[in-house]
Structure formats: structure tokens, C-alpha cells
């Protein structure tokens, strides 16, 4: 199955509704923008898809570099093409998501060629998984407690906080939530790289005292030694390696440092399905969990394929709480069933130029 054409199909998307906030110092929800589909045509008539939220950047990389690299190549040679992107990265310095966009489209082709969902090709460990509620930033402790009650009523079995980015205020919030929901509900906290070592240590002590399951990205992930120092100071488990460049290679250094109680993996930030599974297997060899970052179709496939992951991350972005459509009343997510990744429903919802409407058939 040879790749015969590579298209970038630009599509506009509306602002996120309702808008939400992240911690102090970070922008909130996405404004209206322009994304793009990466479309890989093959000589078999099968078409591979993936979606990038930064359409102009993808278009530039494809026009200047990736189209010439992909056309004429064997679409089933995913390992070769993945390594080729890393070779090109020496000169291009691709944003980390570029690896994922290309790799996901190639896995989409493989799934369609075999008639199987991608998670089956990756190993097919399970058919369903519990989801945890991953909050955006709300205005007060009282609102967080109200949101937590709604999440539990909607079936979510665990809750992760994105809070304000103030170590003392966030510590008080985390303690209040633990007291409110009791000892049996798993709770997690994500610092979104908001702290230095001193504040991260203060907050880590509070999380340990409240029995939090994990402490996620409290500091920027550029300095692994800082995470090693943090792990030496706090008892709460650290989950690391979500965003730093280098994918599996960077994750390996986090693990080698001794700071990782668990690691993050994803298609978008860790090199597509190929990179995500490398990380999952690497973590497994050290008896660590590889928890899937973020939601969406690719994350659903990863959650079903990776044995050492425990949850699907479901964003809770509003109050009143809206349970994500893929999460059922029992708080579980079921495996995708369509061949490939299953982007066709999203494709047909996009304002695709008429000349390309048949590509995903």
C-alpha cells in the first residue's frame, strides 16, 4: 500500500463553548481558529486521516518537507517513517505534535487495511475502562465541591483538579475536597507546570497528607533533576513526562532519575501511537503505570491497548457538569468499533471542500 498523495485540508473551528479558565498565568479555552486534516491517499483507494489544531503550521511542514518524504513510501512501514521524522527533526525542530499527526494517519490506514480498530492492532488489552473527571479551573472551593458532587453523581469514579496555581490556596482546596468526598474516592492534582521546587514541595506535602493518588506536572519538565529533588522531599507519587520534548527518550531519563511513580503517554505529545506504545512498554518494564493524557478518539484506542493504564481522562469544562458523550452512566468508556481510528464522523462534520468529499469514503 503506497502513499500516492498528501493533502492538508484546512477547516475553521468555533471558540470553545462555554469558555473556561486554566490556572493563573495561562490562557483559557481555545478561541476560534483554523485546524487541518492530514489526508493520506494510497494506491489501494484507502485514505488515512488525522487532525491538527494548528492548520497553518501543519500546512507549512507538509508543503515544505513532509509531502516529499511521504509520497511513494509504503504506508505500512510506520516504523521506518517514524524514525525518518526523528531524523528530519534535527533540522526542522518539529513541534512535538507533528510526529503524532503523521503517525496517527498511518495507523488509521493500517486499521482500515485490516478492517480492525487501531487498539486491536496495538494489542487489544481491554474493551472498557473507567473515566476520571479532569476539571478546568473553577472560581472557588465551594464551586469545586459542587462540581465534584455532580461528577460523582454522573458516574465518574475519580476526580483530578486543575486549580489556581497558588500553592497555599491549592493545598487548602485539595484538603477540602478530600474531606468532602471521603477517603474512598481517588483524587489527583495537576499543577500545569505552575510552581518552582519550593512551592511544589509545600503543595506535595499537603497532597500526601490527603492521600492523593498522584501529583502531576507541578513544575516545568525541562529539568529532570528538579523532579528528582522533589521526589526525595515528598511522599505523594509523581506522574511525569507529559509534555517535555523527546517523547520516549525523555521519559526514559525521568524513569532513570528515580522520580517517576508513573509516567504520561499520548499520541499528541509523545509521538503518535508508535511513540505512546514505546512509553507504555518502557514503563511496564519498570512496573510503572503509563497513564494516557487527554481525551478523544486516539486516547480511547490507547486506553484499550495499554495494560498498565487505569483511567481515561475526561475533561469537565463547565458547571453544570456535562458528562462527555463517550462516558456512560457507570463512568466507563467502551472501545471504539470502527476500522482504523474512526475519524470519519468528525470528517463529515467538517466544512470539507467539495473536491475532497470522497477521500474518506
Amino acid at each position: 500500500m503506497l502513499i500516492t498523495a498528501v493533502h492538508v485540508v484546512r477547516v475553521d473551528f468555533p471558540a470553545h463553548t462555554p469558555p473556561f479558565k486554566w490556572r493563573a498565568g495561562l490562557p483559557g479555552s481555545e478561541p476560534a481558529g483554523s485546524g487541518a486534516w492530514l489526508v493520506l491517499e494510497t494506491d489501494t483507494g484507502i485514505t488515512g486521516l488525522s487532525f491538527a489544531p494548528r492548520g497553518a503550521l501543519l500546512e507549512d511542514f507538509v508543503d515544505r518537507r513532509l509531502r516529499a518524504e511521504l509520497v511513494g513510501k509504503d504506508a505500512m512501514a510506520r516504523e521506518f517513517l517514524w524514525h525518518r521524522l526523528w531524523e528530519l527533526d534535527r533540522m526542522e525542530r518539529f513541534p512535538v505534535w507533528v510526529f503524532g499527526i503523521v503517525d496517527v494517519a498511518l495507523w488509521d490506514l493500517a486499521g482500515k487495511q485490516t478492517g480492525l480498530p487501531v487498539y486491536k492492532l496495538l494489542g487489544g488489552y481491554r474493551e472498557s475502562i473507567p473515566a476520571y473527571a479532569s476539571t478546568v479551573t473553577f472560581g472557588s472551593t465551594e464551586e469545586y465541591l459542587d462540581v465534584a458532587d455532580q461528577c460523582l453523581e454522573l458516574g465518574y469514579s475519580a476526580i483530578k483538579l486543575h486549580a489556581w496555581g497558588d500553592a497555599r490556596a491549592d493545598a487548602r482546596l485539595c484538603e477540602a475536597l478530600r474531606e468532602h468526598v471521603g477517603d474512598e474516592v481517588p483524587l489527583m492534582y495537576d499543577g500545569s507546570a505552575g510552581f518552582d521546587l519550593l512551592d511544589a514541595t509545600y503543595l506535595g506535602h499537603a497532597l500526601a497528607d490527603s492521600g492523593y493518588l498522584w501529583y502531576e506536572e507541578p513544575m516545568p519538565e525541562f529539568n529532570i533533576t528538579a523532579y528528582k529533588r522533589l521526589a526525595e522531599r515528598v511522599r505523594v507519587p509523581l506522574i511525569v513526562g507529559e509534555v517535555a520534548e523527546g517523547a520516549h527518550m525523555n521519559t526514559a531519563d525521568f524513569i532513570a532519575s528515580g522520580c517517576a511513580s508513573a509516567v504520561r503517554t499520548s499520541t499528541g505529545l509523545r509521538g503518535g501511537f508508535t511513540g505512546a506504545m514505546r512509553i507504555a512498554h518502557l514503563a511496564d518494564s519498570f512496573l510503572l503505570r503509563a497513564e494516557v493524557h487527554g481525551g478523544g478518539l486516539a486516547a480511547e484506542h490507547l486506553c484499550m491497548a495499554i495494560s498498565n493504564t487505569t483511567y481515561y481522562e475526561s475533561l469537565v469544562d463547565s458547571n453544570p457538569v456535562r458528562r462527555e458523550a463517550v462516558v456512560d452512566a457507570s463512568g466507563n468508556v467502551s472501545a471504539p468499533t470502527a476500522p482504523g481510528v474512526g475519524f470519519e464522523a468528525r470528517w463529515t462534520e467538517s466544512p470539507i471542500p467539495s473536491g475532497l468529499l470522497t477521500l474518506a469514503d
Side-chain angles (χ1 to χ4, degrees), residues 41-108:
E41 290 189 85
T42 67
D43 59 356
T44 64
I46 299 173
T47 302
L49 299 174
S50 62
F51 187 79
R54 302 290 181 262
L57 291 177
L58 180 64
E59 192 167 47
D60 172 67
F61 286 125
V62 168
D63 288 347
R64 285 193 307 104
R65 189 70 67 186
L66 297 179
R67 182 176 290 110
E69 289 290 334
L70 294 171
V71 170
K73 299 297 195 303
D74 180 358
M76 300 297 280
R78 295 180 300 277
E79 190 73 13
F80 168 77
L81 293 172
W82 197 76
H83 277 278
R84 182 61 184 153
L85 284 182
W86 282 105
E87 181 74 2
L88 295 174
D89 183 65
R90 176 61 186 85
M91 300 305 297
E92 286 289 342
R93 305 304 297 139
F94 293 123
V96 66
W97 54 263
V98 170
F99 298 91
I101 296 301
V102 174
D103 188 72
V104 166
L106 292 170
W107 278 96
D108 188 45

Side-chain angles (χ1 to χ4, degrees), residues 216-287:
E216 183 172 347
E217 200 192 356
M219 304 179 293
E221 289 189 338
F222 301 117
N223 191 307
I224 295 175
T225 299
Y227 272 89
K228 184 175 186 294
R229 299 288 183 262
L230 180 62
E232 293 166 351
R233 288 161 169 76
V234 300
R235 291 177 289 110
V236 64
L238 301 182
I239 184 168
V240 298
E242 177 181 312
V243 302
E245 292 189 8
H248 59 301
M249 296 172 282
N250 171 265
T251 301
D253 279 338
F254 269 111
I255 294 173
S257 79
C259 71
S261 290
V263 299
R264 275 301 200 188
T265 195
S266 66
T267 60
L269 297 175
R270 310 316 272 166
F273 288 115
T274 300
M277 294 304 293
R278 267 178 167 72
I279 288 170
H281 296 152
L282 170 67
D284 193 40
S285 68
F286 285 91
L287 302 181

Side-chain angles (χ1 to χ4, degrees), residues 68-274:
E69 289 290 334
L70 294 171
V71 170
K73 299 297 195 303
D74 180 358
M76 300 297 280
R78 295 180 300 277
E79 190 73 13
F80 168 77
L81 293 172
W82 197 76
H83 277 278
R84 182 61 184 153
L85 284 182
W86 282 105
E87 181 74 2
L88 295 174
D89 183 65
R90 176 61 186 85
M91 300 305 297
E92 286 289 342
R93 305 304 297 139
F94 293 123
V96 66
W97 54 263
V98 170
F99 298 91
I101 296 301
V102 174
D103 188 72
V104 166
L106 292 170
W107 278 96
D108 188 45
L109 283 170
K112 290 169 180 173
Q113 173 78 350
T114 59
L116 294 172
V118 165
Y119 84 93
K120 290 282 191 182
L121 295 181
L122 296 173
Y125 181 77
R126 59 173 65 86
E127 297 296 320
S128 68
I129 195 168
Y132 70 83
S134 182
T135 76
V136 296
T137 299
F138 294 103
S140 66
T141 296
E142 291 72 25
E143 186 175 14
Y144 274 105
L145 300 185
D146 175 46
V147 166
D149 287 341
Q150 294 179 59
C151 290
L152 296 175
E153 290 170 3
L154 289 169
Y156 289 106
S157 58
I159 299 169
K160 187 178 81 174
L161 296 176
H162 293 88
W164 303 299
D166 178 314
R168 273 113 185 112
D170 288 8
R172 291 191 293 270
L173 168 63
C174 292
E175 292 162 351
L177 181 60
R178 170 55 74 203
E179 183 176 355
H180 184 73
V181 302
D183 293 335
E184 300 305 314
V185 178
L187 297 177
M188 307 83 126
Y189 173 89
D190 189 332
S192 300
F195 305 110
D196 60 12
L197 181 57
L198 192 63
D199 278 344
T201 301
Y202 176 91
L203 181 52
H205 290 322
L207 296 174
D209 291 344
S210 293
Y212 273 59
L213 178 62
W214 74 57
Y215 188 18
E216 183 172 347
E217 200 192 356
M219 304 179 293
E221 289 189 338
F222 301 117
N223 191 307
I224 295 175
T225 299
Y227 272 89
K228 184 175 186 294
R229 299 288 183 262
L230 180 62
E232 293 166 351
R233 288 161 169 76
V234 300
R235 291 177 289 110
V236 64
L238 301 182
I239 184 168
V240 298
E242 177 181 312
V243 302
E245 292 189 8
H248 59 301
M249 296 172 282
N250 171 265
T251 301
D253 279 338
F254 269 111
I255 294 173
S257 79
C259 71
S261 290
V263 299
R264 275 301 200 188
T265 195
S266 66
T267 60
L269 297 175
R270 310 316 272 166
F273 288 115
T274 300

